[in-house]
Amino acid sequence: MTLVADEKERFLDLQAQFERQQPQGWLKNLRQAAVARFDEMSFPDVHNEDWKFTSLASLLKIPFALSDKVAVSADLRSRLDAETLPSARRLVFVNGVYSAELSRVHQAPSGLTIGGLSGIENDVVRAHLGAIAGDDSQVFTALNTAFLHDAAVVVLPRGLVVAEPIQVFFVAVPGKRATLIPARTLVVAGVNSQAKVLEHYLSVGAAEDVYFTSAVTEFALDDNAIIDHAKIQDEGHEAFHIATTQVQQGRSSTFHSTYMSLGGRLVRNEARVRFTGEGSEATLDGLYLAAGRQHVDNFTVIDHARAHCASHELYKGILRDKAHGVFNGKIFVREDAQKTDAKQTNKVLLLSDEATINTKPQLEIFADDVKCTHGATIGQLDAEGLFYLRSRGIGLEDARHLLIRAFANDIVERMRIEEFRPLVQRRLIAPL
Amino acid sequence: MLTIFNLHARVDDKEILRGVNLKINAGEVHAIMGPNGSGKSTLAGVLAGRDAFDVTEGDVLFDGKNLLEMDPEERAREGVFLAFQYPVEIPGVSNTYFLRAGVNAIRKHRGQEELDAMDFLKLVKQKLKVLHIEEDLLKRPVNEGFSGGEKKRNEIFQMAVLEPKLCILDETDSGLDIDALRTVSDGVNALRSKERGMLVITHYQRLLEYIKPDKVHVLYEGRIVKSGGPELAKELEHKGYGWVEEGLKEPAGA
Ligand SMILES: Nc1ncnc2c1ncn2[C@@H]1O[C@H](COP(=O)(O)OP(=O)(O)O)[C@@H](O)[C@H]1O
Ligand SMILES: [Mg+2]
């Protein structure tokens, strides 16, 4: 279709424009390879099973520009400070570009590599960047790599345990023109290492500005590594946010993650986990709140390629007005992945008659000795619970809020990064 | 304090209450007994404001006010309390948080100052002590994972904290061991006072050994078919509900 070609053409033109400003080097090669792959693919339409409930039409009709350099405003600073946890190290990217000025990587323990990509392009980084996310079938990953010039990088050498949380902020400062903002993160966790990593996506400025955050996050966990992760997507009302996290887990490693989605007009959060060693465990939790005409799509893939691994997924959605939610949970259990234990649950509160949810579990199991369960519950607030609260004197509105907050709070309490809970309470739960 | 006059209520197309008349004065304890399905919980639910039921006829006055016109929360604030036959589990909400919200909504309604966390804690701890309930109950989510006995104790604990004017207990004694039964009856007896009315719904006479009622009524197929003193409960225990049914079959005036 010519239309699709036009859409792709626009991004290719934009990339060519972007490329002219970039220096030569290995990154350029990485980008060129991605451009070639991107060129071979097309944007998915709703006939693609993985995009059945999410139409990209509203995104693809917009001609995006590259974002300009912006000055650091007082607003931006105070927003960052308000969301920075005590003792945390933070990496700040403004419109996709690392800001050494705003970042705080004080007293990094010896061995820890942390910062923006340009300072630390070592062998470990080169070996992993782009290799984990594998963009051969994912058009948005290829697109992201085609614009890759900066990234948040965290490399934990063997045995290093970092107790303080690491916060990565991707701040959009959009302007009047619709802009493309690439965001990239790479976390490499060596054998026996441990860290807490938080990703924040937020915007400062006019709430109605249109922009497109294209995010790719790569996690490589070596044997026995432990990563606690949380992502909070708090973009502007008119933002597009299309993100993929790809996790690769070596033997006996643990990845525990919470995906919180609050802002944005069209949001796609992909979380993909691949077990490459036995005895590992992954938890993907999610909390998505949407109102107005927001569209939020959570797409998870857990690839049980090895035996004795466990995965847990609990996603909860609260949808109001005409919001549209999608949960698509794929679980592959490969032939040799005996003793797999996979559990997936999606629970949704629909607070209006016009809010909709499409939930689609997809289990493909090729091993015989496994435990796989999935379930979805969709409903309104529990009438019995409401009556019980009211019968104790609590007013109808208060009773509703109490039940809604309790529903969401469950996810917060499962979050392993405890020091992050108060912020989430304040930002997400209290307004419910 | 409570006057129920010719109360009719239905669920869908099924008439469940078919003309209930009952008057409870302040200071009195009334017991309602009756076989399963006779409408006891329906009566309790209608009084507390459960909206599954349609009241098709009749009136209920509580302290001179039309109870049926009030929302459930208004009734609670005016002093009506229902101990549920099947207390509801509310995951994610701690008992303390839940109960403090209730207490403060009621206090606000009465023009009293709201209790802060400290004062509230003092109040509830004292009540727990009187009722011999463990303090860990406070932190647990409302009724979630509670045993049957714990749920019933929690109802009585809430009643003790909220200090209602009219206490309605819907089979709070069912399925309780002797210890839990004692908690329940201690809770009820501690609240007995000249200002307070009680409606104790029970299937068995056992509870009434601990809570001496002033009056006993038999509810049968949506009507109160017999009323008497405590001795009526004993008689029912001996003769069974069949006795009531037989009595109703006798020709009128016999
Ligand atoms: N929500 C409801 N929907 C349909 N039928 C109901 C409902 N509640 C009660 N009933 C019916 O009404 C009758 C009386 O029930 P209930 O008041 O619970 O009796 P009791 O408490 O005396 O055992 C029963 O036949 C019961 O099945
Ligand atoms: Mg009953």
Side-chain angles (χ1 to χ4, degrees):
Chain A
M1 265 198 324
T2 52
L3 236 165
V4 176
D6 278 352
E7 290 156 353
K8 249 170 63 180
E9 220 45 60
R10 271 209 295 264
F11 282 105
L12 288 168
D13 288 349
L14 191 66
Q15 205 280 336
Q17 187 191 332
F18 166 82
E19 197 63 60
R20 283 195 287 277
Q21 308 164 3
Q22 300 300 319
Q24 300 290 326
W26 70 285
L27 268 181
K28 191 181 185 80
N29 299 340
L30 203 61
R31 282 194 300 270
Q32 288 312 314
V35 168
R37 280 191 302 276
F38 175 79
D39 203 10
E40 284 163 20
M41 293 183 265
S42 49
F43 284 111
D45 58 21
V46 292
H47 300 296
N48 180 325
E49 273 301 305
D50 290 354
W51 291 83
K52 194 172 169 183
F53 304 110
T54 298
S55 163
L56 292 166
S58 58
L59 170 78
L60 296 179
K61 73 175 188 219
I62 298 172
F64 289 100
L66 300 172
S67 54
D68 302 318
K69 275 223 158 59
V70 290
V72 172
S73 66
D75 247 17
L76 200 163
R77 263 180 212 284
S78 64
R79 182 79 193 275
L80 282 173
D81 290 345
E83 302 206 1
T84 302
L85 302 173
S87 86
R89 294 187 178 82
R90 79 180 187 199
L91 299 177
V92 180
F93 293 76
V94 180
N95 288 348
V97 182
Y98 181 66
S99 165
E101 181 195 351
L102 292 170
S103 299
R104 287 184 197 154
V105 285
H106 53 277
Q107 299 164 351
S110 81
L112 175 65
T113 304
I114 182 170
L117 178 60
S118 57
I120 40 183
E121 296 167 45
N122 59 33
D123 289 346
V124 179
V125 173
R126 286 177 195 226
H128 288 89
L129 193 65
I132 309 298
D135 47 18
D136 44 340
S137 69
Q138 295 160 39
V139 66
F140 284 102
T141 301
L143 179 70
N144 182 278
T145 305
F147 286 88
L148 172 54
H149 65 304
D150 211 340
V153 176
V154 176
V155 179
L156 305 156
R158 172 187 280 267
L160 180 67
V161 176
V162 180
E164 305 83 17
I166 296 167
Q167 292 179 279
V168 182
F169 288 91
F170 289 100
V171 189
V173 186
K176 284 287 148 265
R177 282 184 314 165
T179 51
L180 168 69
I181 302 176
R184 188 85 178 206
T185 303
L186 172 68
V187 178
V188 181
V191 176
N192 281 327
S193 66
Q194 185 171 352
K196 304 167 185 167
V197 180
L198 295 141
E199 287 177 79
H200 301 248
Y201 294 83
L202 48 96
S203 80
V204 175
E208 63 277 6
D209 286 343
V210 178
Y211 63 95
F212 169 21
T213 298
S214 159
V216 170
T217 302
E218 298 174 277
F219 281 100
L221 276 66
D222 211 328
D223 297 354
N224 248 359
I226 300 175
I227 293 289
D228 292 328
H229 171 243
K231 169 182 162 178
I232 181 162
Q233 181 279 109
D234 191 5
E235 308 264 25
H237 296 311
E238 293 300 325
F240 295 88
H241 180 96
I242 303 215
T244 295
T245 306
Q246 178 73 59
V247 186
Q248 184 175 296
Q249 289 191 243
R251 191 186 177 85
S252 302
S253 61
T254 307
F255 182 74
H256 194 290
S257 184
T258 310
Y259 288 83
M260 287 160 287
S261 192
L262 182 62
R265 158 183 173 187
L266 173 66
V267 176
R268 166 100 162 182
N269 276 311
E270 293 188 7
R272 298 168 180 267
V273 173
R274 192 165 54 230
F275 292 115
T276 56
E278 297 189 352
S280 292
E281 192 179 330
T283 300
L284 299 180
D285 281 353
L287 176 62
Y288 48 106
L289 314 175
R293 290 176 175 277
Q294 279 182 290
H295 181 103
V296 186
D297 178 345
N298 283 291
F299 185 93
T300 69
V301 184
I302 300 196
D303 187 350
H304 282 269
R306 292 288 184 276
H308 296 281
C309 292
S311 63
H312 319 277
E313 291 176 79
L314 175 61
Y315 274 74
K316 287 192 166 190
I318 301 175
L319 306 176
R320 301 171 199 268
D321 308 329
K322 295 186 173 176
H324 186 185
V326 180
F327 176 80
N328 190 325
K330 286 194 188 193
I331 297 175
F332 295 108
V333 182
R334 310 271 171 191
E335 215 176 311
D336 297 329
Q338 301 298 0
K339 304 288 178 194
T340 287
D341 182 355
K343 182 164 194 253
Q344 177 190 94
T345 312
N346 180 36
K347 294 186 179 181
V348 186
L349 258 186
L350 292 179
L351 296 180
S352 101
D353 294 340
E354 289 176 297
T356 52
I357 174 78
N358 293 103
T359 180
K360 184 177 159 207
Q362 205 178 326
L363 278 57
E364 292 182 27
I365 301 169
F366 302 100
D368 44 27
D369 186 11
V370 301
K371 206 167 88 191
C372 292
T373 61
H374 68 90
T377 58
I378 296 160
Q380 276 104 29
L381 286 175
D382 174 34
E384 268 299 294
L386 273 180
F387 176 59
Y388 193 64
L389 295 171
R390 296 175 80 190
S391 78
R392 301 305 185 241
I394 300 169
L396 178 59
E397 274 313 296
D398 288 342
R400 277 177 189 284
H401 290 300
L402 219 139
L403 289 183
I404 295 170
R405 282 198 292 265
F407 175 83
N409 208 24
D410 185 21
I411 296 292
V412 183
E413 269 160 23
R414 283 165 59 103
M415 195 149 61
R416 289 232 301 222
I417 308 177
E418 280 180 36
E419 52 270 66
F420 192 43
R421 288 184 198 162
L423 181 66
V424 175
Q425 292 280 1
R426 209 161 59 235
R427 187 71 192 93
L428 268 74
I429 308 296
L432 286 172
Chain B
M1 130 174 304
L2 182 77
T3 311
I4 303 174
F5 175 72
N6 190 32
L7 188 65
H8 290 252
R10 50 173 68 223
V11 176
D12 305 326
D13 282 337
K14 188 171 161 200
E15 182 153 55
I16 300 170
L17 297 183
R18 304 189 297 155
V20 175
N21 292 289
L22 181 67
K23 190 166 167 19
I24 300 178
N25 296 311
E28 290 178 354
V29 175
H30 289 233
I32 289 193
M33 304 182 72
N36 275 331
S38 58
K40 301 183 299 294
S41 291
T42 303
L43 177 62
V46 167
L47 294 176
R50 186 186 283 282
D51 65 7
F53 307 114
D54 273 338
V55 175
T56 50
E57 231 186 298
D59 288 304
V60 179
L61 288 181
F62 176 64
D63 277 347
K65 293 179 191 159
N66 184 343
L67 193 69
L68 299 178
E69 275 182 355
M70 299 180 202
D71 286 333
E73 56 268 38
E74 274 181 85
R75 300 181 198 205
R77 292 168 192 171
E78 289 287 331
V80 176
F81 180 92
L82 169 63
F84 283 50
Q85 182 174 4
Y86 305 108
V88 184
E89 298 192 5
I90 316 230
V93 179
S94 78
N95 240 331
T96 315
Y97 189 90
F98 158 66
L99 204 47
R100 187 152 85 96
V103 166
N104 280 336
I106 291 169
R107 290 180 69 91
K108 208 169 147 192
H109 180 74
R110 292 182 188 153
Q112 293 169 317
E113 221 173 286
E114 294 185 20
L115 293 181
D116 64 22
M118 290 287 278
D119 289 339
F120 178 74
L121 205 62
K122 228 188 275 167
L123 170 74
V124 292
K125 283 197 172 167
Q126 177 234 326
K127 301 284 183 189
L128 284 174
K129 209 161 160 193
V130 173
L131 295 171
H132 305 286
I133 300 176
E134 300 284 335
E135 276 186 23
D136 79 326
L137 181 95
L138 294 173
K139 282 191 229 119
R140 293 167 67 185
V142 180
N143 294 324
E144 194 185 34
F146 283 29
S147 68
E150 282 176 325
K151 284 184 181 170
K152 298 299 177 83
R153 280 182 216 240
N154 195 20
E155 294 293 288
I156 295 305
F157 165 60
Q158 291 171 34
M159 186 172 88
V161 173
L162 295 174
E163 300 185 330
K165 278 192 232 161
L166 173 67
C167 307
I168 305 166
L169 286 82
D170 189 0
E171 293 206 29
T172 306
D173 53 331
S174 290
L176 294 191
D177 62 24
I178 201 75
D179 279 349
L181 193 66
R182 202 157 270 141
T183 303
V184 169
S185 45
D186 285 355
V188 171
N189 287 328
L191 277 180
R192 265 182 112 139
S193 81
K194 283 204 293 288
E195 297 83 44
R196 212 166 257 134
M198 304 230 180
L199 183 59
V200 180
I201 294 170
T202 179
H203 194 70
Y204 309 100
Q205 184 264 343
R206 190 176 62 154
L207 179 68
L208 305 180
E209 306 254 306
Y210 299 92
I211 305 168
K212 286 266 163 282
D214 298 298
K215 292 229 167 67
V216 176
H217 311 275
V218 180
L219 189 71
Y220 184 77
E221 293 187 345
R223 282 195 199 98
I224 288 178
V225 294
K226 238 183 207 328
S227 296
E231 73 289 346
L232 179 55
K234 287 230 167 59
E235 206 168 350
L236 269 175
E237 181 88 348
H238 289 303
K239 300 183 177 168
Y241 287 112
W243 166 64
V244 179
E245 282 173 51
E246 306 224 323
L248 290 172
K249 280 188 207 131
E250 285 168 27

